[in-house]
mmCIF file of all heavy atoms in Angstrom:
data_model
loop_
_atom_site.group_PDB
_atom_site.id
_atom_site.type_symbol
_atom_site.label_atom_id
_atom_site.label_comp_id
_atom_site.label_asym_id
_atom_site.label_seq_id
_atom_site.Cartn_x
_atom_site.Cartn_y
_atom_site.Cartn_z
ATOM 1 N N ALA A 43 27.736 -1.241 -4.402
ATOM 2 C CA ALA A 43 27.180 -0.662 -3.171
ATOM 3 C C ALA A 43 26.601 0.729 -3.463
ATOM 4 O O ALA A 43 27.034 1.398 -4.406
ATOM 5 C CB ALA A 43 28.281 -0.553 -2.124
ATOM 6 N N VAL A 44 25.617 1.138 -2.666
ATOM 7 C CA VAL A 44 25.092 2.507 -2.773
ATOM 8 C C VAL A 44 26.206 3.429 -2.266
ATOM 9 O O VAL A 44 26.685 3.275 -1.140
ATOM 10 C CB VAL A 44 23.822 2.682 -1.911
ATOM 11 C CG1 VAL A 44 23.310 4.116 -1.994
ATOM 12 C CG2 VAL A 44 22.740 1.704 -2.346
ATOM 13 N N ASN A 45 26.621 4.378 -3.105
ATOM 14 C CA ASN A 45 27.794 5.177 -2.760
ATOM 15 C C ASN A 45 27.433 6.418 -1.951
ATOM 16 O O ASN A 45 27.074 7.456 -2.507
ATOM 17 C CB ASN A 45 28.538 5.565 -4.042
ATOM 18 C CG ASN A 45 29.859 6.254 -3.732
ATOM 19 O OD1 ASN A 45 30.215 6.446 -2.556
ATOM 20 N ND2 ASN A 45 30.586 6.626 -4.766
ATOM 21 N N LEU A 46 27.533 6.302 -0.635
ATOM 22 C CA LEU A 46 27.354 7.480 0.213
ATOM 23 C C LEU A 46 28.736 7.900 0.741
ATOM 24 O O LEU A 46 28.859 8.482 1.819
ATOM 25 C CB LEU A 46 26.397 7.194 1.375
ATOM 26 C CG LEU A 46 24.986 6.704 0.998
ATOM 27 C CD1 LEU A 46 24.080 6.674 2.231
ATOM 28 C CD2 LEU A 46 24.333 7.578 -0.074
ATOM 29 N N ALA A 47 29.778 7.556 -0.038
ATOM 30 C CA ALA A 47 31.144 7.890 0.381
ATOM 31 C C ALA A 47 31.541 9.251 -0.165
ATOM 32 O O ALA A 47 31.664 10.223 0.590
ATOM 33 C CB ALA A 47 32.106 6.801 -0.085
ATOM 34 N N GLN A 48 31.736 9.336 -1.470
ATOM 35 C CA GLN A 48 32.251 10.578 -2.043
ATOM 36 C C GLN A 48 31.141 11.605 -2.225
ATOM 37 O O GLN A 48 30.013 11.258 -2.584
ATOM 38 C CB GLN A 48 32.917 10.281 -3.396
ATOM 39 C CG GLN A 48 33.928 11.326 -3.810
ATOM 40 C CD GLN A 48 34.654 10.940 -5.097
ATOM 41 O OE1 GLN A 48 34.512 9.830 -5.603
ATOM 42 N NE2 GLN A 48 35.436 11.865 -5.619
ATOM 43 N N GLY A 49 31.490 12.872 -1.998
ATOM 44 C CA GLY A 49 30.484 13.942 -2.000
ATOM 45 C C GLY A 49 30.159 14.486 -3.374
ATOM 46 O O GLY A 49 30.394 15.665 -3.641
ATOM 47 N N PHE A 50 29.620 13.630 -4.253
ATOM 48 C CA PHE A 50 29.142 14.181 -5.531
ATOM 49 C C PHE A 50 27.667 13.841 -5.703
ATOM 50 O O PHE A 50 27.222 12.740 -5.368
ATOM 51 C CB PHE A 50 29.966 13.661 -6.727
ATOM 52 C CG PHE A 50 29.911 12.168 -6.911
ATOM 53 C CD1 PHE A 50 28.862 11.575 -7.607
ATOM 54 C CD2 PHE A 50 30.908 11.356 -6.384
ATOM 55 C CE1 PHE A 50 28.812 10.194 -7.776
ATOM 56 C CE2 PHE A 50 30.865 9.977 -6.548
ATOM 57 C CZ PHE A 50 29.812 9.392 -7.234
ATOM 58 N N PRO A 51 26.881 14.802 -6.204
ATOM 59 C CA PRO A 51 25.447 14.562 -6.387
ATOM 60 C C PRO A 51 25.195 13.527 -7.469
ATOM 61 O O PRO A 51 25.930 13.465 -8.461
ATOM 62 C CB PRO A 51 24.914 15.930 -6.823
ATOM 63 C CG PRO A 51 25.946 16.915 -6.413
ATOM 64 C CD PRO A 51 27.261 16.194 -6.504
ATOM 65 N N ASP A 52 24.123 12.720 -7.293
ATOM 66 C CA ASP A 52 23.736 11.774 -8.347
ATOM 67 C C ASP A 52 22.478 12.270 -9.057
ATOM 68 O O ASP A 52 21.793 11.515 -9.712
ATOM 69 C CB ASP A 52 23.554 10.348 -7.791
ATOM 70 C CG ASP A 52 22.346 10.222 -6.853
ATOM 71 O OD1 ASP A 52 21.787 11.266 -6.446
ATOM 72 O OD2 ASP A 52 21.956 9.083 -6.544
ATOM 73 N N PHE A 53 22.198 13.581 -8.897
ATOM 74 C CA PHE A 53 21.042 14.167 -9.590
ATOM 75 C C PHE A 53 21.536 15.236 -10.570
ATOM 76 O O PHE A 53 22.691 15.677 -10.476
ATOM 77 C CB PHE A 53 20.030 14.735 -8.589
ATOM 78 C CG PHE A 53 20.647 15.570 -7.500
ATOM 79 C CD1 PHE A 53 20.930 16.910 -7.697
ATOM 80 C CD2 PHE A 53 20.961 14.997 -6.269
ATOM 81 C CE1 PHE A 53 21.513 17.667 -6.694
ATOM 82 C CE2 PHE A 53 21.544 15.747 -5.265
ATOM 83 C CZ PHE A 53 21.821 17.088 -5.480
ATOM 84 N N PRO A 54 20.672 15.668 -11.516
ATOM 85 C CA PRO A 54 21.152 16.550 -12.582
ATOM 86 C C PRO A 54 21.530 17.948 -12.098
ATOM 87 O O PRO A 54 20.976 18.448 -11.111
ATOM 88 C CB PRO A 54 19.973 16.636 -13.559
ATOM 89 C CG PRO A 54 18.931 15.714 -13.074
ATOM 90 C CD PRO A 54 19.249 15.300 -11.681
#
Side-chain angles (χ1 to χ4, degrees):
V44 178
N45 187 0
L46 303 189
Q48 203 175 352
F50 61 84
D52 68 348
F53 46 84

